[in-house]
Amino acid sequence: MPDHPTGSDTLPLSLTVNGEARQLRVAPWTTLLDLLREDLGLIGTKKGCDHGQCGSCTVLLDGKRANACLVLAVVKEGSNVTTIEGLAGPGGALHPMQAAFVEHDAFQCGYCTPGQICSAVALVEEGRARTPDEIREHMSGNICRCGAYPNIVAAIEQVLAENAR
Amino acid sequence: MNRFSYVRATDVAQAAREAGAPAAKIIAGGTNLVDLMKYDVERPGRLVDITRLPGLRAIEDAADGGLRIGALVTNTEVAYDRRVEARYPLLSSTILAGATPQLRNSATTGGNLLQRTRCYYFYDVGTPCNKREPGTGCPAIPGVNRIHAVLGASEHCIATHPSDMCVAMAALEAVVRVSGPGGERAIPFAEFHRLPGDAPERDTNLGRGEVVTAVELPARGFPAHYTYLKLRDRHSYAFALVSVAVGMEMDGGRIGEARFALGGVAHKPWRDPEAEAMLRGQAASRDLFERAAERTLRGAKGYGHNTFKIELARRAIVRALEQAAAGTPQSQVDKRIR
Ligand SMILES: Cc1cc2nc3c(=O)[nH]c(=O)nc-3n(C[C@H](O)[C@H](O)[C@H](O)COP(=O)(O)OP(=O)(O)OC[C@H]3O[C@@H](n4cnc5c(N)ncnc54)[C@H](O)[C@@H]3O)c2cc1C
Ligand code: SF4
Ligand code: FES
Ligand code: FES
């Protein structure tokens, strides 16, 4: 259940979300995930388990992937958050990873997909995974109930190959 | 989650003072604490945010040739630090065997040490649990106990410490630096975590109001002969059923210094000094490793579902010692066990 605290319960919080500086007030028990979804209306980031076990809430926090469900928003004062809504280019051009997911049909129901894509973008940025085995290991924090794994790996391989060119 | 107040500590003394209040809890990466708060297992009245404390984010060379890892350095930062990779690859390996890239980005060194020793009953506030509510009993002993301890448990609690990183730190004989109301002190790793005994509610010997500031690694890092073998229900993103961290020095075919620690089998990373002593000065052989494994498990006790862990641990010790002696550490990517 979302919390709608009032007045004295809340603390000020400055965050940059998808490039936009936001001055907010949050209750200390608000997770970053609930803040994004309930207060900012950024419902692309999904809540699966709410306990760090599935990766569907993965966002980029100061450039690094994190499970938004286990982050208390107030702790991240001054941070920079990128969600799936912030990946596309200015004119709405898909991020290369988004385009590769579409091209490889790397999803079925799509529920895990925003988390998978954010995680995959970070994987490429980290530069530690090259082989399919390494991609699987470095994507192990994102569960796909539909089992789209082979196509997810193919999409990531394609982006890695494009970048290597 | 219960309602609580929040304070962002600006120096260690303030953090220790705040954390000393009865209902206060420190938060670092939050990956264990927030999870437990969502289940109402932890219900702090006040959270003390230590993530802004100065001086706790660095990995520094120590004068004795060791390394000092600040309490707020993340698991990812430790695992991929060039000095850790080169001098303490066992530590990198254990960290990379644990959790996921996302969790390791948030998890801190201090938080990993202090994540609760736990089991699924501990998480379920609808059941009794001596660790969560002292004196209510341990439903795991007569109940479902597949993931539970086979060494060092008590009639009051048979939970296991879930950390991979700590298994390496036990073998490396790290020292935990803490700062609190009584000043600063250093706790040898073997004395940091506790066995359950008759006080399973206490996982560690950290005092109230004490803050972990760093972990120090002695110079000896076993960069040539080490391994971390982690056995679990799926290859990634699962806690160890049994794990073994080994650090060895080899002189020709003969073993010099030798350490090994087990994870997933006890309330704390498990070492057996007698079993380690059997290895020193000996030629590496399967027979020797089997005898050391027998020795380690001589007091092991199964509770039904977890009894398989005793034989699993015996075999894992032998295989891990072989891997370390041969200088062929377990890969944490290609999970095949060779
Ligand atoms: C789904 C999931 C899977 C996981 N899998 C694994 C795994 O396979 N292997 C593994 O090893 N771990 C695993 N973990 C556990 C993870 O490693 C820990 O949750 C993490 O290391 C805790 O660090 P933190 O900084 O987030 O701690 P927090 O949650 O912030 O704190 C944990 C505890 O430590 C205390 N604390 C934190 N820092 C200090 C300090 N400096 N001084 C004093 N007290 C302090 C807090 O008060 C709290 O009680 C998993 C976790 C999740 C959620
Ligand atoms: S094993 Fe320990 S943590 Fe688990 S139910 Fe028993 S007392 Fe609680
Ligand atoms: S919702 Fe955060 S990991 Fe599942
Ligand atoms: S596409 Fe359905 S869960 Fe991954």
Side-chain angles (χ1 to χ4, degrees):
Chain A
M1 284 289 290
D3 295 303
H4 289 291
T6 48
S8 60
D9 278 345
T10 64
L11 300 165
L13 173 66
S14 322
L15 282 181
T16 301
V17 182
N18 295 332
E20 197 185 325
R22 312 286 297 243
Q23 303 299 324
L24 307 161
R25 290 198 71 87
V26 294
W29 47 86
T30 309
T31 62
L32 178 60
L33 178 59
D34 285 343
L35 175 76
L36 292 170
R37 290 182 55 86
E38 309 293 339
D39 295 355
L40 303 183
L42 294 168
I43 57 173
T45 308
K46 301 299 185 221
K47 183 183 284 195
C49 63
D50 212 18
H51 287 280
Q53 297 176 356
C54 73
S56 69
C57 64
T58 303
V59 297
L60 303 176
L61 192 48
D62 296 320
K64 303 201 168 108
R65 43 181 162 161
N67 304 93
C69 69
L70 292 183
V71 172
L72 292 183
V74 69
V75 172
K76 293 298 164 186
E77 165 67 28
S79 285
N80 200 324
V81 186
T82 303
T83 69
I84 189 73
E85 289 92 342
L87 289 180
L94 292 184
H95 183 283
M97 191 60 76
Q98 291 175 307
F101 266 61
V102 173
E103 188 179 329
H104 287 272
D105 208 8
F107 41 77
Q108 197 178 109
C109 77
Y111 198 82
C112 72
T113 311
Q116 299 277 4
I117 291 177
C118 286
S119 202
V121 168
L123 176 151
V124 172
E125 185 64 30
E126 292 157 8
R128 297 183 184 116
R130 313 226 171 283
T131 66
D133 266 356
E134 287 168 346
I135 293 171
R136 276 189 283 273
E137 177 60 22
H138 287 259
M139 288 298 289
S140 64
N142 294 82
I143 307 280
C144 175
R145 233 38 220 156
C146 300
Y149 298 113
N151 299 8
I152 294 169
V153 173
I156 296 171
E157 272 190 283
Q158 175 175 313
V159 174
L160 286 171
E162 283 166 5
N163 288 359
R165 255 190 260 129
Chain B
M1 242 188 276
N2 67 301
R3 301 306 179 236
F4 54 84
S5 61
Y6 168 87
V7 59
R8 195 173 286 141
T10 51
D11 61 54
V12 174
Q14 184 206 359
R17 208 164 47 244
E18 288 278 3
K25 238 8 212 161
I26 285 172
I27 183 163
T31 59
N32 184 226
L33 184 61
V34 174
D35 185 32
L36 290 168
M37 286 168 68
K38 288 183 177 189
Y39 285 111
D40 277 340
V41 174
E42 298 275 15
R43 298 178 56 84
R46 186 165 176 80
L47 279 194
V48 183
D49 177 358
I50 61 165
T51 60
R52 311 287 158 141
L53 294 184
L56 270 54
R57 290 197 171 273
I59 302 181
E60 293 159 326
D61 279 298
D64 66 353
L67 215 51
R68 182 183 196 276
I69 302 171
L72 291 173
V73 181
T74 67
N75 285 180
T76 300
E77 288 162 348
V78 176
Y80 294 112
D81 182 88
R82 286 283 145 80
R83 291 157 295 178
V84 176
E85 285 181 327
R87 285 149 58 187
Y88 306 95
L90 173 60
L91 181 57
S92 289
S93 188
T94 54
I95 292 173
L96 296 178
T100 66
Q102 288 96 313
L103 287 161
R104 295 193 294 262
N105 279 345
S106 295
T108 63
T109 303
N112 194 312
L113 290 181
L114 284 151
Q115 62 174 304
R116 296 302 310 265
T117 299
R118 55 194 191 265
C119 87
Y120 22 68
Y121 293 101
F122 176 74
Y123 268 99
D124 180 357
V125 295
T127 63
C129 165
N130 282 331
K131 186 178 282 297
R132 182 168 23 80
E133 289 171 65
T136 55
C138 172
I141 293 174
V144 178
N145 51 41
R146 186 168 177 278
I147 65 168
H148 291 74
V150 293
L151 286 164
S154 77
E155 61 184 305
H156 303 290
C157 178
I158 60 170
T160 56
H161 193 260
S163 169
D164 294 295
M165 180 193 87
C166 289
V167 185
M169 286 185 173
L172 293 168
E173 298 190 345
V175 173
V176 184
R177 286 260 156 209
V178 311
S179 183
E184 301 199 355
R185 64 182 181 122
I187 309 175
F189 209 80
E191 289 160 35
F192 188 77
H193 296 100
R194 294 163 53 95
L195 289 179
D198 58 7
E201 69 278 11
R202 290 192 63 196
D203 297 342
T204 71
N205 286 316
L206 199 69
R208 183 143 271 293
E210 283 189 316
V211 180
V212 171
T213 52
V215 175
E216 291 171 349
L217 303 177
R220 203 168 216 164
F222 308 101
H225 294 277
Y226 72 94
T227 197
Y228 186 60
L229 180 59
K230 178 178 179 180
L231 304 175
R232 45 190 150 170
D233 283 329
R234 59 179 181 197
H235 275 336
S236 282
Y237 212 172
F239 290 102
L241 289 167
V242 169
S243 69
V244 188
V246 185
M248 251 185 213
E249 285 166 0
M250 297 292 292
D251 186 4
R254 224 159 259 289
I255 301 166
E257 177 61 355
R259 316 244 186 90
F260 66 94
L262 307 192
V265 296
H267 203 259
K268 59 187 276 191
W270 188 266
R271 273 182 75 191
D272 188 321
E274 282 181 40
E276 291 175 355
M278 290 170 66
L279 301 173
R280 297 191 189 111
Q282 304 297 310
S285 76
R286 190 178 179 98
D287 176 60
L288 174 69
F289 297 159
E290 279 173 357
R291 282 185 285 120
E294 289 301 340
R295 174 65 64 97
T296 308
L297 293 160
R298 66 195 179 286
K301 177 172 163 17
Y303 293 85
H305 302 111
N306 71 347
T307 307
F308 76 98
K309 282 191 180 186
I310 300 172
E311 176 62 14
L312 190 65
R314 201 185 62 73
R315 295 181 189 204
I317 292 168
V318 173
R319 185 62 64 93
L321 290 171
E322 285 178 339
Q323 289 181 338
T328 52
Q330 177 63 41
S331 160
Q332 305 303 352
V333 174
D334 164 9
K335 305 291 172 74
R336 256 160 300 189
I337 298 169
R338 293 169 215 271

